[in-house]
Amino acid sequence: IEDDYEEAVVYYGLGFTNNELSNYYEAARFYNRALKIHLARGDKFGQAVNYTALGAIEYILNDNDLAFYNIRK
């Protein structure tokens, strides 16, 4: 991987794959890793994509307050 943006894209892909396999905690772990990179880069679009993905997982896991918090970020 040449730069941290590509690394974030890989983490997001791993999160998406785990989400599709219903491995929600593992998916959240990868989405958070991608989010950390996007935050460091100041990448607002990447942040929005990962906050939304995290919110969807939290909704599935019935953590509605945290889901609402992340989706509003």
Side-chain angles (χ1 to χ4, degrees):
I1 297 176
E2 291 183 28
D3 65 30
D4 56 354
Y5 176 78
E6 291 176 0
E7 185 177 355
V9 170
V10 169
Y11 286 141
Y12 177 83
L14 290 168
F16 181 84
T17 301
N18 277 281
N19 188 30
E20 290 295 305
L21 295 171
S22 300
N23 298 330
Y24 301 119
Y25 294 103
E26 191 69 11
R29 188 173 72 86
F30 284 116
Y31 288 145
N32 276 310
R33 290 176 82 172
L35 178 59
K36 182 178 177 182
I37 293 169
H38 290 302
L39 287 167
R41 292 173 52 88
D43 178 356
K44 298 292 186 188
F45 179 77
Q47 291 172 40
V49 168
N50 283 280
Y51 278 127
T52 301
L54 286 166
I57 288 174
E58 290 146 357
Y59 178 77
I60 290 168
L61 296 174
N62 292 317
D63 191 345
N64 295 329
D65 291 335
L66 191 54
F68 184 69
Y69 172 80
N70 277 320
I71 287 176
R72 289 193 52 179
K73 293 248 314 158

